[in-house]
Amino acid sequence: MFEIFMPKLRVNHVFDIDLEGLYEQGYRGIITDLDNTLVGAKAPLATPELVDWFEKVKKIGFKLVIVSNNNLDRVSKFAAPLDIEFVHKAKKPTGASFLRGMKLMGLSPKETIMVGDQLMTDVYGGNRQGLFTVLVLPISVQDEGFGTRINRRLERIVKSRLGKSGLWLEEDKHK
C-alpha cells in the first residue's frame, strides 16, 4: 500500500543525479519542483551553481519544466530569467499538473523524470503518473509553510511504515 510513496532514486541534491545515465536509459524530460528542491522556499532566484546545472541538463538533451504548487508571482520570477517553462498552482499530487508538464515537453510518462523534495506531493504524484521519481533532501526546511510542515509529519509516518516493510532503509538513503 505504501509502495506508491517510494521514489525510484534518492539523492542529496539535484546535482547528484546521474543525468547522463538517465538519458542513456531513454529519459528525455525532467519535471522538477521548485521550493526546497532547486532553491530554498524563500530564495527568489537560482544560484550560479543551479544555473550551471540547468545548462548541463539542456546540453545533455533534456527538456525541463518546473511544476510548483506555489503562485504565479513566485514561480514566474524564478523561471522567467532562466527561460524555463512552468506550471504554477499545480495542486500536486493531482495528476493534471504532471500531465500538463509532460504536454509542455511533448513527452510520455516513460520518458519523464519527476524531481522533488516531498513524498506526499512530488513522489506520490509522479509515481501515480508512471514517472521515474527522484527524491532530494529539502534545502531549507525552516522556510517551509504550514501545509508542507503537515506533509512532513505524514512523510515520517509513511517512512516508518516503509521501513517496517524493509523498503525504506536509512543506510541506503541519499548516497
Side-chain angles (χ1 to χ4, degrees):
M1 172 180 175
F2 287 93
E3 291 84 6
I4 193 74
F5 295 100
M6 275 298 297
K8 306 294 187 288
L9 176 66
R10 292 190 289 170
V11 296
N12 288 330
H13 201 279
V14 294
F15 307 122
D16 301 325
I17 299 170
D18 179 9
L19 295 170
E20 292 89 352
L22 290 170
Y23 193 86
E24 287 175 13
Q25 291 176 44
Y27 296 101
R28 296 297 179 259
I30 298 173
I31 295 174
T32 182
D33 177 47
L34 173 56
D35 294 325
N36 277 334
T37 297
L38 299 176
V39 294
K42 293 185 178 177
L45 302 172
T47 63
E49 185 180 27
L50 188 59
V51 171
D52 291 344
W53 185 78
F54 287 138
E55 289 175 14
K56 179 180 178 183
V57 165
K58 292 175 183 177
K59 184 178 180 184
I60 290 170
F62 282 105
K63 295 177 181 181
L64 181 70
V65 173
I66 295 172
V67 174
S68 173
N69 285 349
N70 215 320
N71 62 49
L72 175 62
D73 187 55
R74 163 67 173 138
V75 184
S76 65
K77 283 183 179 175
F78 180 89
L82 301 166
D83 195 30
I84 297 174
E85 291 190 280
F86 63 89
V87 176
H88 68 285
K89 290 189 179 179
K91 298 181 183 174
K92 294 179 289 180
T94 62
S97 58
F98 297 96
L99 295 173
R100 186 157 176 226
M102 286 185 283
K103 185 176 181 180
L104 286 170
M105 295 186 292
L107 297 173
S108 68
K110 68 180 180 180
E111 300 171 292
T112 306
I113 299 163
M114 173 62 211
V115 179
D117 68 300
Q118 290 190 60
L119 289 179
M120 309 310 288
T121 56
D122 305 313
V123 173
Y124 176 61
N127 282 346
R128 287 179 55 215
Q129 296 304 314
L131 310 182
F132 183 91
T133 51
V134 179
L135 181 68
V136 299
L137 290 175
I139 293 171
S140 183
V141 176
Q142 67 274 9
D143 293 338
E144 293 179 335
F146 180 74
T148 303
R149 290 176 190 206
I150 291 172
N151 281 345
R152 296 285 182 215
R153 289 181 180 187
L154 294 171
E155 281 183 0
R156 285 194 289 278
I157 295 167
V158 169
K159 287 177 184 178
S160 173
R161 295 287 173 100
L162 289 169
K164 287 177 183 175
S165 65
L167 294 173
W168 190 275
L169 305 175
E170 287 302 318
E171 57 271 12
D172 291 343
K173 184 178 96 175
H174 304 101
K175 294 178 181 176

